[in-house]
Amino acid sequence: ANIGPVSKYKKRADFVTDFFEVGGFTIIEHGGFSSVTEAVEAFRFSQARIFVICSSDENYLEWVPSLARGIKQFSPETSVLLAGNPNMQERVLYMDAGVDDFIHASVNNYDKLVVLQIKGGVRE
């Protein structure tokens, strides 16, 4: 879920796309959502099992809590991930809202993809 104008999400969206394509995941990229409702509705019709939020740190404070809650309310088993590495206070805020994990350059790509493949029933 790319939030806002392209300049706010492009770098992280490209990183996340590469991150998941290496693991054989199909990427459904939506560009420039302008509301939480719009993003949640797109998710509802996507049949995705993983929902990744991409934008700038500034947009995250405004969007992530209500967006993560909206996704989890509709589909509690969905893995909600955030592209970026927020500070500890923001992590707690986002996780309390429903974010399960964070994708960034310091994450072990292989280990994270294996966990998500297992959770999605693709791998044992």
Side-chain angles (χ1 to χ4, degrees), residues 61-108:
L61 288 171
E62 177 184 346
W63 278 75
V64 171
S66 56
L67 184 51
R69 279 189 208 97
I71 297 300
K72 289 293 188 170
Q73 183 177 20
F74 175 74
S75 178
E77 68 282 355
T78 296
S79 293
V80 176
L81 308 175
L82 182 74
N85 192 10
N87 65 46
M88 193 53 84
Q89 181 180 357
E90 290 168 346
R91 275 179 181 262
V92 169
L93 171 70
Y94 300 149
M95 291 178 87
D96 285 348
V99 171
D100 296 298
D101 211 344
F102 304 88
I103 301 294
H104 50 82
S106 299
V107 169
N108 182 310

Side-chain angles (χ1 to χ4, degrees), residues 6 16 20 25 29 37 51 65 67 76 92 99 108 121:
V6 174
V16 167
F20 281 98
F25 288 84
E29 188 171 347
T37 303
F51 185 84
L67 184 51
V92 169
V99 171
N108 182 310

Side-chain angles (χ1 to χ4, degrees), residues 5 14 16 33-34 38 56 64-65 79 81-82 84 91 97 101 107 113 118-119 124:
D14 287 348
V16 167
F33 289 120
S34 58
E38 182 184 11
S56 64
V64 171
S79 293
L81 308 175
L82 182 74
R91 275 179 181 262
D101 211 344
V107 169
L113 292 174
I118 291 169
K119 184 174 179 184
E124 293 183 8

